[in-house]
Every structure is written in structure tokens, then in C-alpha cells.
Amino acid sequence: MKELELKYGCNPNQKPSKIYMAEGELPVTVLNGKPGYINFMDAFNSWQLVKELKEATGMPSAASFKHVSPAGAAVGKPLSDIDRAIYFVDKDAEITPIAAAYIRARGADRLCSYGDWAALSDVCDAATASYLKNEVSDGIIAPGYTDEALAILKTKKKGNYNVIQIDPDYVPKSQERREIFGVVFEQGHNFLKIDEEMLSNIVTDSKELPQAAKIDLIVALITLKYTQSNSVCYVKDGQTIGVGAGQQSRIHCTRLAGDKANNWWMRQHPKVLGLQFVDGIRRPDRDNAIDVYTSNEYEDVLAEGVWQESFKVKPEVLTEEEKKAWIAQMSEVSCGSDAFFPFGDNVERAFKSGVKYIAEPGGSIRDDNVIAACNSHGITMCFTGIRLFHH
């Protein structure tokens, strides 16, 4: 098939819309549903991310995309009991490596992953499909599906869930083009390979960079390669925990990603784990209740006549002192930036969210200030020498 008609473009008024190949056949097959323009933008960006992450780490990888940027990405490390609790995984559910990868990717930022596009580096199995069945999602791309998984996914959205299979051996042309306002842009496709060699130039006093941190920094950098710039990414234990995308200011990226990392960590606070939700509460409502409860707007969910909608028992307030004490326990977090940090304030903000390892291109006229900020906190920083802008 050389072309595929779409429902509409970015917006319903943008018709007609299609994807097509100037030469050869499309590398994708729609197994269910009718994906749209943005669906395919998410699908192709997310597929590249998970394919490269699998190649770089050797582990099954997954991503959760929204509006052409990852809400989360992860490799398939096993889930802990706390992971199962905060990601709403049944305690008896069988979790395969690829299922764990997607559960972690979606769990990075469950609010932003609402209505996501899922991407898997490996064949989608029944364990992954069974978890995805209960989440609000627009579609999925993977190199294949087991019969059982496909049958499960076809039950989503009244049978209209978008399921795309991609040829895992497909390689795009070396030059890529896009048309904006009637003008054609052309550039070389970004075939840049991200691996441990990119982390070899350590410029700080601390030279400590354990293997786990190398994997986390690779996760961060590959995630940034497919995140709308400017972008900063925090990673822990093989999964993103905060992605700051599309900000005009670098420090705003760092703050946004750090605040998301803090939110992820707050979900593990004993008071949050002990919340008693009403029976039958929907997952999105539960996610929203947790988000508000841990924020400065907690009164919006704890007010009389309101808390009963979400909780069996009115929760105790999570105080600012408790929040600060809990966040202070964050540690061993890695941070990547798609371009250099222009000032040391980015390091100072990252440190507040437990960052101990940083990878960024370097090249700022204030590199010495940034390095000094790392040294003052015992942070290990690598200069990759490579910018990762994506638009």
C-alpha cells in the first residue's frame, strides 16, 4: 500500500488528509481502527524512540506519547511491589518484560498519559494488552501482536481502538523533507546513535558513573531525541520520571521536568499509598484525586461534600513539611538536556529533585559555572558534545 487516507489533519477542518510514500510501500499496516494525522505523528516518533532504546540497552522498551512528545519512556525492568501499587497493577497479574516497560512508561506521568499513544519495541503480548485494556489510550504501534493480544485490543473503544503494526526492518531515506507554508524543508535524517561512548567525557570532579546511571542517561538522551525542544528529562531505574518539553527557556524545562519528577515520587509517600478510595472509582479520577491531594490545591479534593466522591475515609492533609522531607529523600536520579545548560541554576534545580548524574552537550560560555555547580553538590556530569533538538 502506497497511501492511506486519514480521518482529518491536525484539526477536523483540515481535509483531505493522508499519509503516502513517494516511492515504495508504507512500512505500516493498520490492524484495527482508523488512525488520524496526529496519531501517525505520535506513532512514528514513538516507534523510533523505543526501537533505538532497545538497541542501545538490549532491553524491551516502551513509550507513552501525547502530542508528538513522550509523556514517559522506559525499559522493561521488573516491577517492585510499590511500582505495582502506584501503577495500579493487580498483585496477581503476570507481568512480562515488555508489559513492565509500558507500565513504567505510562506511570511516569499518568495525567499526561491520559489518552496516549503507546509504542512497544517488542511484540505486544497478552500481558501488555490486558493492562492497556483498562487505560484510556488512543492507539498503539508495535512490530507485531500475538493473537490473544490483538483480540483484547480490538475490544477497546467499542472496537475502534487504533492498532498499527510496523515493519521493524524499515529504514527511512537519508534525506527527509517537510512542507511548511508551501515551502519545502530538507535535512538529513537524524541517524545519530546514542550509546555509552557518548558518556565518556566526564568533566566534573566526581567521576562516579555506575552502570545503572549509564542506562538511565541513555534513556534520558534517547527520550530527548524525540521530545519537542527545548527539553530536559529526569530518569530513575530505567524509566523517565519527568519530561519537560517545548519550553522556550531552559530553566523552565528543568523546573517542569523536576516538578513532574517530584510528583512521581510523591505518589510513593506512605500517606498516598494509604489512601482509601471508594469502590468502583475510575482510574483517571483516582489519578486526578492523587494529583490534587499532593498539590497545594489539596483543599479542592478534601472539602466537605467533595472528599466523599473519591475516598472512603477523609485523608489527613499532606503538609508542606512532610512533602519537603519526602522529596529530600529522592536520590540517584539522572538528568539529560537536549542542549547545554547556560547557567548553573539548572543544576541547582535538578539537585533539589535528587539528581546525581547529568548528561548535556556542553559548549556554553558559562560551562565553568555549570561545572562548579555540579562540583558543589558532588554531581557527575558528562559533556556529550551532541545537541538533540527536535521539532
mmCIF file of all heavy atoms in Angstrom, residues 112-151:
data_model
loop_
_atom_site.group_PDB
_atom_site.id
_atom_site.type_symbol
_atom_site.label_atom_id
_atom_site.label_comp_id
_atom_site.label_asym_id
_atom_site.label_seq_id
_atom_site.Cartn_x
_atom_site.Cartn_y
_atom_site.Cartn_z
ATOM 1 N N CYS A 112 -0.531 13.079 32.162
ATOM 2 C CA CYS A 112 -0.184 13.414 30.782
ATOM 3 C C CYS A 112 -0.375 12.222 29.853
ATOM 4 O O CYS A 112 -0.552 12.402 28.639
ATOM 5 C CB CYS A 112 1.256 13.914 30.696
ATOM 6 S SG CYS A 112 1.477 15.582 31.338
ATOM 7 N N SER A 113 -0.339 11.003 30.382
ATOM 8 C CA SER A 113 -0.514 9.813 29.552
ATOM 9 C C SER A 113 -1.977 9.483 29.288
ATOM 10 O O SER A 113 -2.271 8.534 28.561
ATOM 11 C CB SER A 113 0.161 8.595 30.214
ATOM 12 O OG SER A 113 1.563 8.683 30.088
ATOM 13 N N TYR A 114 -2.878 10.257 29.848
ATOM 14 C CA TYR A 114 -4.308 10.031 29.613
ATOM 15 C C TYR A 114 -4.602 10.226 28.127
ATOM 16 O O TYR A 114 -4.347 11.292 27.551
ATOM 17 C CB TYR A 114 -5.126 11.015 30.454
ATOM 18 C CG TYR A 114 -6.622 10.884 30.291
ATOM 19 C CD1 TYR A 114 -7.347 9.972 31.054
ATOM 20 C CD2 TYR A 114 -7.306 11.690 29.392
ATOM 21 C CE1 TYR A 114 -8.722 9.859 30.919
ATOM 22 C CE2 TYR A 114 -8.684 11.584 29.245
ATOM 23 C CZ TYR A 114 -9.390 10.675 30.010
ATOM 24 O OH TYR A 114 -10.752 10.572 29.865
ATOM 25 N N GLY A 115 -5.121 9.193 27.461
ATOM 26 C CA GLY A 115 -5.389 9.275 26.026
ATOM 27 C C GLY A 115 -4.124 9.216 25.202
ATOM 28 O O GLY A 115 -4.017 9.867 24.160
ATOM 29 N N ASP A 116 -3.163 8.409 25.627
ATOM 30 C CA ASP A 116 -1.837 8.388 25.000
ATOM 31 C C ASP A 116 -1.790 7.559 23.727
ATOM 32 O O ASP A 116 -2.754 6.903 23.331
ATOM 33 C CB ASP A 116 -0.792 7.856 25.983
ATOM 34 C CG ASP A 116 -0.932 6.341 26.231
ATOM 35 O OD1 ASP A 116 -2.020 5.781 25.977
ATOM 36 O OD2 ASP A 116 0.056 5.719 26.679
ATOM 37 N N TRP A 117 -0.627 7.609 23.087
ATOM 38 C CA TRP A 117 -0.272 6.665 22.035
ATOM 39 C C TRP A 117 0.832 5.786 22.597
ATOM 40 O O TRP A 117 1.855 6.290 23.058
ATOM 41 C CB TRP A 117 0.197 7.359 20.761
ATOM 42 C CG TRP A 117 0.359 6.350 19.661
ATOM 43 C CD1 TRP A 117 1.465 5.588 19.413
ATOM 44 C CD2 TRP A 117 -0.643 5.925 18.731
ATOM 45 N NE1 TRP A 117 1.208 4.717 18.389
ATOM 46 C CE2 TRP A 117 -0.073 4.905 17.948
ATOM 47 C CE3 TRP A 117 -1.960 6.302 18.488
ATOM 48 C CZ2 TRP A 117 -0.776 4.268 16.929
ATOM 49 C CZ3 TRP A 117 -2.644 5.674 17.483
ATOM 50 C CH2 TRP A 117 -2.065 4.670 16.712
ATOM 51 N N ALA A 118 0.621 4.475 22.596
ATOM 52 C CA ALA A 118 1.583 3.534 23.155
ATOM 53 C C ALA A 118 2.505 3.007 22.059
ATOM 54 O O ALA A 118 2.071 2.799 20.924
ATOM 55 C CB ALA A 118 0.863 2.369 23.820
ATOM 56 N N ALA A 119 3.767 2.794 22.418
ATOM 57 C CA ALA A 119 4.735 2.218 21.484
ATOM 58 C C ALA A 119 5.534 1.142 22.189
ATOM 59 O O ALA A 119 5.981 1.332 23.330
ATOM 60 C CB ALA A 119 5.681 3.296 20.948
ATOM 61 N N LEU A 120 5.726 0.011 21.514
ATOM 62 C CA LEU A 120 6.463 -1.122 22.074
ATOM 63 C C LEU A 120 7.586 -1.512 21.127
ATOM 64 O O LEU A 120 7.387 -1.567 19.909
ATOM 65 C CB LEU A 120 5.544 -2.326 22.280
ATOM 66 C CG LEU A 120 4.238 -2.121 23.048
ATOM 67 C CD1 LEU A 120 3.475 -3.441 23.112
ATOM 68 C CD2 LEU A 120 4.504 -1.574 24.437
ATOM 69 N N SER A 121 8.744 -1.834 21.685
ATOM 70 C CA SER A 121 9.868 -2.287 20.864
ATOM 71 C C SER A 121 9.702 -3.743 20.446
ATOM 72 O O SER A 121 10.268 -4.176 19.440
ATOM 73 C CB SER A 121 11.180 -2.139 21.635
ATOM 74 O OG SER A 121 11.206 -3.016 22.769
ATOM 75 N N ASP A 122 8.918 -4.507 21.220
ATOM 76 C CA ASP A 122 8.744 -5.938 21.001
ATOM 77 C C ASP A 122 7.289 -6.266 20.676
ATOM 78 O O ASP A 122 6.406 -5.410 20.797
ATOM 79 C CB ASP A 122 9.167 -6.724 22.253
ATOM 80 C CG ASP A 122 10.659 -6.621 22.532
ATOM 81 O OD1 ASP A 122 11.315 -5.725 21.965
ATOM 82 O OD2 ASP A 122 11.161 -7.427 23.331
ATOM 83 N N VAL A 123 7.065 -7.500 20.293
ATOM 84 C CA VAL A 123 5.705 -7.958 20.006
ATOM 85 C C VAL A 123 4.814 -7.730 21.223
ATOM 86 O O VAL A 123 5.193 -8.033 22.354
ATOM 87 C CB VAL A 123 5.716 -9.451 19.620
ATOM 88 C CG1 VAL A 123 4.301 -10.012 19.566
ATOM 89 C CG2 VAL A 123 6.420 -9.650 18.277
ATOM 90 N N CYS A 124 3.639 -7.181 20.983
ATOM 91 C CA CYS A 124 2.674 -6.958 22.063
ATOM 92 C C CYS A 124 2.068 -8.295 22.475
ATOM 93 O O CYS A 124 1.499 -9.010 21.646
ATOM 94 C CB CYS A 124 1.577 -5.997 21.597
ATOM 95 S SG CYS A 124 0.332 -5.655 22.856
ATOM 96 N N ASP A 125 2.186 -8.610 23.755
ATOM 97 C CA ASP A 125 1.637 -9.875 24.259
ATOM 98 C C ASP A 125 0.371 -9.621 25.063
ATOM 99 O O ASP A 125 -0.059 -8.478 25.258
ATOM 100 C CB ASP A 125 2.682 -10.626 25.085
ATOM 101 C CG ASP A 125 3.224 -9.800 26.259
ATOM 102 O OD1 ASP A 125 2.584 -8.789 26.630
ATOM 103 O OD2 ASP A 125 4.281 -10.169 26.796
ATOM 104 N N ALA A 126 -0.230 -10.700 25.530
ATOM 105 C CA ALA A 126 -1.496 -10.598 26.255
ATOM 106 C C ALA A 126 -1.345 -9.814 27.556
ATOM 107 O O ALA A 126 -2.261 -9.082 27.952
ATOM 108 C CB ALA A 126 -2.045 -11.991 26.543
ATOM 109 N N ALA A 127 -0.196 -9.941 28.217
ATOM 110 C CA ALA A 127 0.007 -9.231 29.480
ATOM 111 C C ALA A 127 -0.022 -7.718 29.257
ATOM 112 O O ALA A 127 -0.623 -6.974 30.037
ATOM 113 C CB ALA A 127 1.344 -9.646 30.107
ATOM 114 N N THR A 128 0.608 -7.268 28.188
ATOM 115 C CA THR A 128 0.622 -5.834 27.879
ATOM 116 C C THR A 128 -0.765 -5.370 27.457
ATOM 117 O O THR A 128 -1.248 -4.325 27.902
ATOM 118 C CB THR A 128 1.633 -5.537 26.768
ATOM 119 O OG1 THR A 128 2.899 -6.129 27.101
ATOM 120 C CG2 THR A 128 1.817 -4.045 26.593
ATOM 121 N N ALA A 129 -1.400 -6.133 26.596
ATOM 122 C CA ALA A 129 -2.741 -5.769 26.122
ATOM 123 C C ALA A 129 -3.743 -5.737 27.268
ATOM 124 O O ALA A 129 -4.631 -4.869 27.305
ATOM 125 C CB ALA A 129 -3.183 -6.742 25.039
ATOM 126 N N SER A 130 -3.628 -6.661 28.203
ATOM 127 C CA SER A 130 -4.564 -6.717 29.330
ATOM 128 C C SER A 130 -4.432 -5.480 30.205
ATOM 129 O O SER A 130 -5.442 -4.948 30.706
ATOM 130 C CB SER A 130 -4.311 -7.981 30.164
ATOM 131 O OG SER A 130 -4.606 -9.141 29.414
ATOM 132 N N TYR A 131 -3.205 -5.008 30.412
ATOM 133 C CA TYR A 131 -3.024 -3.776 31.190
ATOM 134 C C TYR A 131 -3.562 -2.577 30.416
ATOM 135 O O TYR A 131 -4.275 -1.732 30.949
ATOM 136 C CB TYR A 131 -1.548 -3.577 31.531
ATOM 137 C CG TYR A 131 -1.313 -2.354 32.386
ATOM 138 C CD1 TYR A 131 -1.497 -2.408 33.764
ATOM 139 C CD2 TYR A 131 -0.920 -1.142 31.825
ATOM 140 C CE1 TYR A 131 -1.309 -1.289 34.565
ATOM 141 C CE2 TYR A 131 -0.738 -0.014 32.611
ATOM 142 C CZ TYR A 131 -0.928 -0.090 33.982
ATOM 143 O OH TYR A 131 -0.753 1.034 34.762
ATOM 144 N N LEU A 132 -3.220 -2.511 29.139
ATOM 145 C CA LEU A 132 -3.627 -1.384 28.297
ATOM 146 C C LEU A 132 -5.144 -1.320 28.146
ATOM 147 O O LEU A 132 -5.722 -0.235 27.998
ATOM 148 C CB LEU A 132 -2.958 -1.502 26.932
ATOM 149 C CG LEU A 132 -3.042 -0.333 25.957
ATOM 150 C CD1 LEU A 132 -2.601 0.966 26.615
ATOM 151 C CD2 LEU A 132 -2.197 -0.624 24.733
ATOM 152 N N LYS A 133 -5.789 -2.470 28.199
ATOM 153 C CA LYS A 133 -7.244 -2.529 28.041
ATOM 154 C C LYS A 133 -7.958 -1.637 29.047
ATOM 155 O O LYS A 133 -9.006 -1.044 28.737
ATOM 156 C CB LYS A 133 -7.721 -3.981 28.194
ATOM 157 C CG LYS A 133 -9.226 -4.149 28.097
ATOM 158 C CD LYS A 133 -9.635 -5.599 28.331
ATOM 159 C CE LYS A 133 -11.159 -5.747 28.290
ATOM 160 N NZ LYS A 133 -11.580 -7.152 28.525
ATOM 161 N N ASN A 134 -7.399 -1.512 30.247
ATOM 162 C CA ASN A 134 -8.047 -0.757 31.306
ATOM 163 C C ASN A 134 -7.610 0.704 31.376
ATOM 164 O O ASN A 134 -8.031 1.429 32.284
ATOM 165 C CB ASN A 134 -7.785 -1.432 32.653
ATOM 166 C CG ASN A 134 -8.395 -2.813 32.737
ATOM 167 O OD1 ASN A 134 -9.540 -3.002 32.349
ATOM 168 N ND2 ASN A 134 -7.629 -3.782 33.229
ATOM 169 N N GLU A 135 -6.762 1.132 30.445
ATOM 170 C CA GLU A 135 -6.290 2.511 30.427
ATOM 171 C C GLU A 135 -6.927 3.279 29.270
ATOM 172 O O GLU A 135 -7.280 2.693 28.238
ATOM 173 C CB GLU A 135 -4.760 2.548 30.280
ATOM 174 C CG GLU A 135 -3.998 1.859 31.398
ATOM 175 C CD GLU A 135 -4.028 2.627 32.707
ATOM 176 O OE1 GLU A 135 -4.666 3.700 32.776
ATOM 177 O OE2 GLU A 135 -3.417 2.161 33.683
ATOM 178 N N VAL A 136 -7.067 4.599 29.440
ATOM 179 C CA VAL A 136 -7.576 5.438 28.365
ATOM 180 C C VAL A 136 -6.426 5.726 27.406
ATOM 181 O O VAL A 136 -5.436 6.354 27.778
ATOM 182 C CB VAL A 136 -8.162 6.751 28.907
ATOM 183 C CG1 VAL A 136 -8.640 7.648 27.762
ATOM 184 C CG2 VAL A 136 -9.310 6.458 29.868
ATOM 185 N N SER A 137 -6.552 5.230 26.178
ATOM 186 C CA SER A 137 -5.471 5.326 25.203
ATOM 187 C C SER A 137 -6.063 5.427 23.805
ATOM 188 O O SER A 137 -7.144 4.889 23.537
ATOM 189 C CB SER A 137 -4.566 4.085 25.317
ATOM 190 O OG SER A 137 -3.595 4.062 24.290
ATOM 191 N N ASP A 138 -5.350 6.129 22.911
ATOM 192 C CA ASP A 138 -5.846 6.307 21.536
ATOM 193 C C ASP A 138 -5.366 5.223 20.584
ATOM 194 O O ASP A 138 -6.003 4.969 19.558
ATOM 195 C CB ASP A 138 -5.415 7.667 20.987
ATOM 196 C CG ASP A 138 -6.364 8.781 21.401
ATOM 197 O OD1 ASP A 138 -7.371 8.483 22.064
ATOM 198 O OD2 ASP A 138 -6.092 9.954 21.059
ATOM 199 N N GLY A 139 -4.209 4.628 20.882
ATOM 200 C CA GLY A 139 -3.711 3.626 19.945
ATOM 201 C C GLY A 139 -2.352 3.099 20.337
ATOM 202 O O GLY A 139 -1.759 3.507 21.344
ATOM 203 N N ILE A 140 -1.845 2.186 19.513
ATOM 204 C CA ILE A 140 -0.584 1.517 19.804
ATOM 205 C C ILE A 140 0.129 1.174 18.511
ATOM 206 O O ILE A 140 -0.507 0.891 17.488
ATOM 207 C CB ILE A 140 -0.837 0.229 20.635
ATOM 208 C CG1 ILE A 140 0.483 -0.457 21.010
ATOM 209 C CG2 ILE A 140 -1.761 -0.723 19.904
ATOM 210 C CD1 ILE A 140 0.316 -1.630 21.965
ATOM 211 N N ILE A 141 1.466 1.191 18.564
ATOM 212 C CA ILE A 141 2.300 0.727 17.462
ATOM 213 C C ILE A 141 3.303 -0.271 18.013
ATOM 214 O O ILE A 141 3.869 -0.071 19.093
ATOM 215 C CB ILE A 141 3.018 1.894 16.745
ATOM 216 C CG1 ILE A 141 3.734 1.387 15.488
ATOM 217 C CG2 ILE A 141 3.954 2.636 17.678
ATOM 218 C CD1 ILE A 141 4.242 2.503 14.580
ATOM 219 N N ALA A 142 3.490 -1.368 17.295
ATOM 220 C CA ALA A 142 4.425 -2.415 17.703
ATOM 221 C C ALA A 142 4.817 -3.211 16.463
ATOM 222 O O ALA A 142 4.136 -3.156 15.435
ATOM 223 C CB ALA A 142 3.780 -3.333 18.747
ATOM 224 N N PRO A 143 5.920 -3.977 16.556
ATOM 225 C CA PRO A 143 6.331 -4.778 15.398
ATOM 226 C C PRO A 143 5.468 -6.016 15.182
ATOM 227 O O PRO A 143 5.620 -6.697 14.163
ATOM 228 C CB PRO A 143 7.763 -5.157 15.744
ATOM 229 C CG PRO A 143 7.808 -5.147 17.235
ATOM 230 C CD PRO A 143 6.902 -4.027 17.651
ATOM 231 N N GLY A 144 4.593 -6.319 16.116
ATOM 232 C CA GLY A 144 3.717 -7.481 15.976
ATOM 233 C C GLY A 144 2.823 -7.630 17.188
ATOM 234 O O GLY A 144 2.995 -6.948 18.206
ATOM 235 N N TYR A 145 1.852 -8.543 17.074
ATOM 236 C CA TYR A 145 0.879 -8.784 18.141
ATOM 237 C C TYR A 145 0.567 -10.270 18.185
ATOM 238 O O TYR A 145 0.381 -10.907 17.135
ATOM 239 C CB TYR A 145 -0.427 -8.006 17.876
ATOM 240 C CG TYR A 145 -0.229 -6.514 17.783
ATOM 241 C CD1 TYR A 145 0.202 -5.930 16.589
ATOM 242 C CD2 TYR A 145 -0.433 -5.690 18.874
ATOM 243 C CE1 TYR A 145 0.408 -4.565 16.489
ATOM 244 C CE2 TYR A 145 -0.234 -4.319 18.799
ATOM 245 C CZ TYR A 145 0.197 -3.764 17.595
ATOM 246 O OH TYR A 145 0.405 -2.406 17.506
ATOM 247 N N THR A 146 0.501 -10.823 19.377
ATOM 248 C CA THR A 146 0.021 -12.195 19.475
ATOM 249 C C THR A 146 -1.485 -12.182 19.182
ATOM 250 O O THR A 146 -2.149 -11.142 19.301
ATOM 251 C CB THR A 146 0.265 -12.775 20.876
ATOM 252 O OG1 THR A 146 -0.537 -12.070 21.831
ATOM 253 C CG2 THR A 146 1.743 -12.678 21.258
ATOM 254 N N ASP A 147 -2.022 -13.328 18.815
ATOM 255 C CA ASP A 147 -3.457 -13.410 18.516
ATOM 256 C C ASP A 147 -4.291 -12.982 19.717
ATOM 257 O O ASP A 147 -5.301 -12.264 19.573
ATOM 258 C CB ASP A 147 -3.824 -14.834 18.099
ATOM 259 C CG ASP A 147 -3.238 -15.223 16.745
ATOM 260 O OD1 ASP A 147 -2.830 -14.308 15.992
ATOM 261 O OD2 ASP A 147 -3.179 -16.435 16.453
ATOM 262 N N GLU A 148 -3.868 -13.420 20.902
ATOM 263 C CA GLU A 148 -4.619 -13.088 22.112
ATOM 264 C C GLU A 148 -4.565 -11.589 22.389
ATOM 265 O O GLU A 148 -5.583 -10.974 22.743
ATOM 266 C CB GLU A 148 -4.072 -13.864 23.308
ATOM 267 C CG GLU A 148 -4.892 -13.687 24.576
ATOM 268 C CD GLU A 148 -4.348 -14.485 25.749
ATOM 269 O OE1 GLU A 148 -3.328 -15.190 25.578
ATOM 270 O OE2 GLU A 148 -4.956 -14.407 26.834
ATOM 271 N N ALA A 149 -3.393 -10.989 22.221
ATOM 272 C CA ALA A 149 -3.245 -9.552 22.463
ATOM 273 C C ALA A 149 -4.114 -8.749 21.504
ATOM 274 O O ALA A 149 -4.798 -7.795 21.904
ATOM 275 C CB ALA A 149 -1.782 -9.148 22.323
ATOM 276 N N LEU A 150 -4.100 -9.125 20.228
ATOM 277 C CA LEU A 150 -4.886 -8.398 19.239
ATOM 278 C C LEU A 150 -6.380 -8.509 19.533
ATOM 279 O O LEU A 150 -7.127 -7.525 19.413
ATOM 280 C CB LEU A 150 -4.581 -8.931 17.836
ATOM 281 C CG LEU A 150 -5.221 -8.172 16.668
ATOM 282 C CD1 LEU A 150 -4.825 -6.699 16.684
ATOM 283 C CD2 LEU A 150 -4.825 -8.816 15.335
ATOM 284 N N ALA A 151 -6.805 -9.676 19.962
ATOM 285 C CA ALA A 151 -8.221 -9.864 20.305
ATOM 286 C C ALA A 151 -8.614 -8.962 21.472
ATOM 287 O O ALA A 151 -9.708 -8.375 21.480
ATOM 288 C CB ALA A 151 -8.485 -11.324 20.644
#
